[in-house]
Amino acid sequence: MDKQILLEGIDLLEFFGVNNSKIELIKRLFPKIKITARGHALFVQGEPKEIKAFEKKFALILDHYYQYNMLSEEIIHELLDSGVSSFEDNSNGEPDIIVFGNSGKPVRARTPNQRRLVEASANNDLIFAIGPAGTGKTYTAIALAVRALKNKEIRKIILSRPAVEAGENLGFLPGDLKDKIDPYLQPLYDALQDMIPPKKLEEFLKDGVIQIAPLAFMRGRTLSNAYVILDEAQNTTVNQLKMFLTRMGLNAKFIITGDVTQIDLPRKSHSGLIQALKILKGIKNIGNIYFDKKDIVRHRLVRDIVEAYDKHDEEKIEIKTEAKEKNKQ
C-alpha cells in the first residue's frame, strides 16, 4: 500500500531537522514501513495496518508542530510513547499564554490590561482597546486572532489601518499601490512574523486566509467567519469608522485599537474613535479596555516619555485655564 501525506505550511528545516535528523528518527521508530520525504510531502509504503498506525501517530507530531511551531527529537519520542509532550504539559500550567509563536516562543498577556483584553475577547464580539503606544494593544489583539485561526474558530484574519499618515503625499511615494501602502501596514506584518512561521504566513497571505489592507478597501464588504482588527483607529473619520463597524458579519470578532492622544487628522474632534466611544457606550457585547502607561512593555524610556508628554499637556491646560480666569476678571 502506498500513501502520500502533504506537509502544508511547514518550515522544512525545523520539521525535518538539520541533516534530516528528525525525519530519520521517525523512520527508525517505524521500521516496518518505508518513509520517503520529498519536499513538502511524505511517501509511505507498507502494510495497510502499519500505515494506519503510522498515520495516527504522525498526526500527533503534525498537530504539535502546528500548535507550537517547534519540534524536537525529545518531543517526537514523547508523542510517540505517550501521545503528550512535556512541552504541552508545562504550557498548560501558564494561563497567560495566548498562542505559541515561532520556535515555540510563548506569546503571553504580560500586563493586567492585556489580560483584560484576552478575557473580554471571550465575551464580546466588538472590543475597543484604547491606550498609549507600546502597551501591546495591537500585538495582543493579533495574538488572539492567530489563536482563533489555529483553533479553527474562524476562517480568516483581516487586519486594517487607515493610511491617514500618508495623506496627499501617498501619490509621491515610489512603486505601485501596494508598495505605497505597505509601509503603513508594516507593524501588522511584524506581529504576524513573530507568531506564524514564514512559509505558513506566506501561504496564508497568498490564499487570503490572512488579509492586510487599508481601511478604504473594506467598503462594501461583509466580514464573516473572521477575526478583524482595525489598528490606529484614532485616525479614522466618523464616517470611516461607522463604515468599518457595519462590515461585521456572522461569526465575526472585531477589535478596534487606538491612542486618542495621537490623532493625525486635521481636526482632532472629528476622530471616529472618539465619537464611537461616546455613541456606542452601554451597548451589550461591546467591551472597552483602557490601557495606560503602566502597561507599556517597550523600552523603559517609553514610559518616561509618555509621562513627560502627559505632564506637558496638563501644564498647557493649566496655563489656558489661568488665562481664561484672568480674562474674566
Side-chain angles (χ1 to χ4, degrees):
M1 179 179 177
D2 293 347
K3 184 77 176 183
Q4 180 181 355
I5 301 174
L6 293 177
L7 308 175
E8 298 178 333
I10 71 166
D11 181 325
L12 292 177
L13 181 60
E14 173 65 32
F15 193 81
F16 287 163
V18 178
N19 296 324
N20 291 325
S21 59
K22 297 172 191 174
I23 194 63
E24 290 299 325
L25 170 61
I26 293 172
K27 289 180 182 180
R28 291 196 300 272
L29 293 172
F30 291 91
K32 295 183 180 180
I33 59 175
K34 181 181 180 182
I35 303 171
T36 306
R38 293 177 186 168
H40 284 80
L42 281 186
F43 295 89
V44 185
Q45 294 176 308
E47 295 296 323
K49 182 180 177 181
E50 298 295 335
I51 290 179
K52 188 175 181 180
F54 169 77
E55 284 184 295
K56 186 176 179 180
K57 292 286 189 179
F58 191 71
L60 295 174
I61 296 172
L62 274 179
D63 287 345
H64 186 280
Y65 174 82
Y66 288 137
Q67 182 68 28
Y68 301 106
N69 296 328
M70 60 85 67
L71 188 67
S72 68
E73 293 184 22
E74 181 181 2
I75 284 171
I76 291 171
H77 276 292
E78 291 172 347
L79 288 171
L80 296 182
D81 287 343
S82 64
V84 180
S85 72
S86 56
F87 190 93
E88 185 177 349
D89 281 341
N90 293 334
S91 65
N92 286 338
E94 299 187 56
D96 287 341
I97 294 177
I98 304 170
V99 71
F100 287 87
N102 291 331
S103 300
K105 181 181 178 182
V107 177
R108 293 181 171 88
R110 297 171 60 184
T111 71
N113 283 317
Q114 287 182 12
R115 294 186 191 99
R116 290 188 184 101
L117 177 54
V118 174
E119 291 167 1
S121 70
N123 303 312
N124 299 279
D125 293 330
L126 172 61
I127 302 171
F128 289 92
I130 314 299
T135 52
K137 307 180 299 295
T138 303
Y139 199 83
T140 303
I142 291 176
L144 288 168
V146 172
R147 182 177 72 179
L149 185 64
K150 279 177 172 282
N151 293 341
K152 298 181 180 179
E153 297 167 13
I154 44 96
R155 295 178 186 171
K156 57 193 171 188
I157 296 172
I158 300 171
L159 309 176
S160 186
R161 263 188 163 199
V164 171
E165 302 94 324
E168 63 187 9
N169 295 322
L170 190 64
F172 294 97
L173 294 173
D176 59 17
L177 182 60
K178 184 178 184 300
D179 294 330
K180 295 173 192 292
I181 290 170
D182 270 357
Y184 301 99
L185 304 174
Q186 191 58 48
L188 306 179
Y189 286 109
D190 290 343
L192 288 170
Q193 287 166 354
D194 279 353
M195 302 177 201
I196 301 175
K199 179 68 177 177
K200 191 68 174 177
L201 178 57
E202 182 182 341
E203 288 183 7
F204 279 156
L205 291 168
K206 181 180 178 181
D207 297 339
V209 175
I210 295 179
Q211 303 169 25
I212 305 177
L215 178 60
F217 287 26
M218 297 296 108
R219 190 173 296 278
R221 299 183 64 184
T222 299
L223 308 177
S224 301
N225 297 308
Y227 219 109
V228 187
I229 299 169
L230 175 62
D231 192 31
E232 299 288 346
Q234 75 275 5
N235 287 328
T236 61
T237 65
V238 174
N239 286 337
Q240 282 177 327
L241 190 50
K242 179 183 176 183
M243 176 275 292
F244 180 79
L245 292 173
T246 53
R247 301 305 93 201
M248 183 179 283
L250 298 175
N251 189 36
K253 290 267 190 181
F254 276 42
I255 297 183
I256 317 295
T257 70
D259 178 0
V260 294
T261 69
Q262 294 192 17
I263 298 172
D264 297 316
L265 295 170
R267 295 185 63 179
K268 294 186 178 182
S269 61
H270 289 174
S271 169
L273 180 59
I274 291 176
Q275 294 292 330
L277 290 171
K278 295 176 182 176
I279 294 169
L280 303 179
K281 187 176 181 181
I283 295 180
K284 190 177 180 181
N285 294 129
I286 296 180
N288 296 314
I289 308 296
Y290 290 91
F291 292 73
D292 56 39
K293 52 182 174 282
K294 294 178 183 177
D295 295 298
I296 292 174
V297 291
R298 290 181 181 169
H299 193 287
R300 62 175 182 79
L301 282 177
V302 175
R303 184 179 298 183
D304 296 338
I305 290 167
V306 171
E307 287 179 348
Y309 273 93
D310 286 347
K311 183 178 179 182
H312 175 71
D313 291 340
E314 289 170 4
E315 290 173 351
K316 283 173 63 178
I317 292 171
E318 288 177 6
I319 292 171
K320 287 181 179 179
T321 303
E322 290 174 1
K324 286 180 180 179
E325 292 296 328
K326 285 181 181 180
N327 289 335
K328 288 181 181 179
Q329 295 174 1

